[in-house]
Amino acid sequence: HAKEVAGSQHAAVHAMVGLAPDELRRLDLLRAAQPGVVFVSSKAHGIGSPIGSSGWVFDGDGHIVTSLSSLGELVHSSNLYVRFADQKQAPVRVVGVDRGCDLAVLEVQQVQVPATPALRPLPRAASGTALVGQDVYVVGNPFGLDHTLTRGMLCASERCLAQEGRVVVQSVLQTDAHIDSRSSGGPVLNSRGEVLGMATVANGRAAGWGLAIPVNMLSSRVESILTHGSSFSRPSLGVFLGPDGLAERLGVSGKGVVIAQVPRYGACYDAGLRAGDVLVAIDGHPVHRLDDVIAALDLHSPGDTVTLLVRRSPDDIDALTGWSTPFGQSDETEISIRLGSER
């Protein structure tokens, strides 16, 4: 009851100074997110230092998610700490990293985790709920002084994150909300305050655009790190996949994921896989979305041999330009390949 009274008083105060309802909603969203958004730095760099990154509380077991590129050389530090919204700080250790999706997973140390009020995990949005055109909010905690909030629109959900000239993550989120190196690592939220992704500037930042690693991919990578540490290597098909729903738009009967590009002379090309093929199953596991591909590959290790079931047009489609002709009836073909490594 006391919280309700305080909340109503707070709203009344802001209403008196002329804030509109949508502004009050943004204030409520920021207030709810603040306890779960942290500043990560080292003891050698005090509060207010530009050295560090934003991050957010992933779960109630003390795991913190942040941007590896923004953390920089601090990832090798033995005296890392996180500072919470209440200005309390706690030492953390690096559990593991995934350079492919700019992820570092930290763990709070020397704290009775279940009894720590500072650990406020942020709720995560359900997979597939990010929609182009919806409002998004980027929360940061630069310098450990105060939180920042930028607002924008989800402009695309099928962009690629490139590092060192190669695509390492497909289907990243693109927004016009401002993201810089200090808010990188912080959460990108929907209007309900649920995490849609982690802000990143790993590949630099084109003017006017920000990128975020989708939360479903992050969750999968975090779980792998917590299970295997940084010693694991994620298996890879070695091809580029089209966005979700493309097979349907091309008129393919049934569902699947379109193979957008197959590097020549690679294992998949040598095995007979071609651009324009539609991936239907991996080792008998149905594939309808990119998430299904990730889930199926996570059951394997680099070097394993898997059988791909693909639908292929009767015509020899070997380039993206072939997509201009509807697939119509197509043949199913099994292709066995040896998985490579993502890193």
Side-chain angles (χ1 to χ4, degrees):
H1 178 69
K3 289 183 180 178
E4 292 179 359
V5 172
S8 62
Q9 290 176 341
H10 179 82
V13 169
H14 285 292
M16 288 174 60
V17 297
L19 293 183
D22 62 331
E23 292 176 304
L24 293 175
R25 283 192 292 270
R26 285 199 295 274
L27 290 174
D28 288 339
L29 181 143
L30 177 59
R31 191 179 310 108
Q34 282 175 330
V37 183
V38 303
F39 174 65
V40 185
S41 191
S42 74
K43 293 181 180 178
H45 304 92
I47 188 170
S49 168
I51 308 299
S53 68
S54 297
W56 49 281
V57 181
F58 182 80
D59 59 29
D61 295 324
H63 296 115
I64 307 293
V65 167
T66 189
S67 161
L68 179 61
S69 60
S70 293
L71 203 56
E73 292 302 314
L74 289 181
V75 73
H76 304 298
S77 174
S78 60
N79 58 1
L80 282 177
Y81 75 90
V82 293
R83 183 181 295 275
F84 296 93
D86 59 7
Q87 296 305 304
K88 293 179 181 178
Q89 62 185 51
V92 294
R93 72 177 184 93
V94 178
V95 180
V97 303
D98 189 324
R99 298 184 185 280
C101 65
D102 192 32
L103 171 66
V105 180
L106 315 177
E107 184 178 61
V108 176
Q109 300 289 286
Q110 301 175 13
V111 175
Q112 296 296 321
V113 173
T116 304
L119 286 174
R120 293 276 297 277
L122 295 180
R124 285 171 258 160
S127 176
T129 58
L131 300 175
V132 173
Q134 74 177 93
D135 288 341
V136 295
Y137 304 85
V138 181
V139 183
N141 190 355
F143 317 122
L145 294 171
D146 200 358
H147 289 81
T148 59
L149 177 69
T150 58
R151 182 181 69 159
M153 180 175 61
L154 185 62
C155 303
S157 59
E158 303 295 344
R159 291 298 178 255
C160 294
L161 176 64
Q163 294 179 5
E164 299 176 355
R166 64 190 184 95
V167 175
V168 292
V169 179
Q170 293 183 282
S171 298
V172 301
L173 308 178
Q174 178 179 301
T175 175
D176 58 358
H178 179 76
I179 296 173
D180 58 28
S181 60
R182 299 281 71 83
S183 60
S184 180
V188 176
L189 309 175
N190 61 22
S191 58
R192 294 184 298 276
E194 299 167 331
V195 179
L196 291 172
M198 180 190 74
T200 178
V201 291
N203 68 332
R205 184 174 179 273
W209 302 112
L211 298 177
I213 308 297
V215 70
N216 59 312
M217 180 178 294
L218 276 181
S219 297
S220 173
R221 303 294 173 98
V222 170
E223 294 303 326
S224 294
I225 288 173
L226 295 181
T227 302
H228 305 290
S230 290
S231 60
F232 81 101
S233 294
R234 185 170 294 275
S236 171
L237 289 174
V239 299
F240 298 124
L241 303 176
D244 287 336
L246 180 58
E248 282 186 276
R249 296 197 292 272
L250 293 174
V252 178
S253 57
K255 296 182 179 179
V257 174
V258 176
I259 307 294
Q261 183 180 350
V262 182
R264 288 182 179 270
Y265 312 117
C268 287
Y269 189 88
D270 292 343
L273 199 64
R274 294 293 183 266
D277 287 343
V278 178
L279 182 58
V280 177
I282 300 176
D283 272 353
H285 298 278
V287 167
H288 303 310
R289 300 171 50 86
L290 291 171
D291 284 353
D292 299 329
V293 177
I294 295 170
L297 293 181
D298 278 347
L299 299 174
H300 297 277
S301 300
D304 289 353
T305 297
V306 297
T307 300
L308 309 181
L309 180 64
V310 300
R311 284 200 184 97
R312 173 170 295 171
S313 167
D315 299 326
D316 182 20
I317 297 178
D318 194 36
L320 297 185
T321 54
W323 290 358
S324 60
T325 302
F327 279 63
Q329 296 297 317
S330 57
D331 301 324
E332 290 191 349
T333 304
E334 286 191 347
I335 298 176
S336 294
I337 67 161
R338 187 179 181 186
L339 294 175
S341 176
E342 193 172 281
R343 294 191 282 159

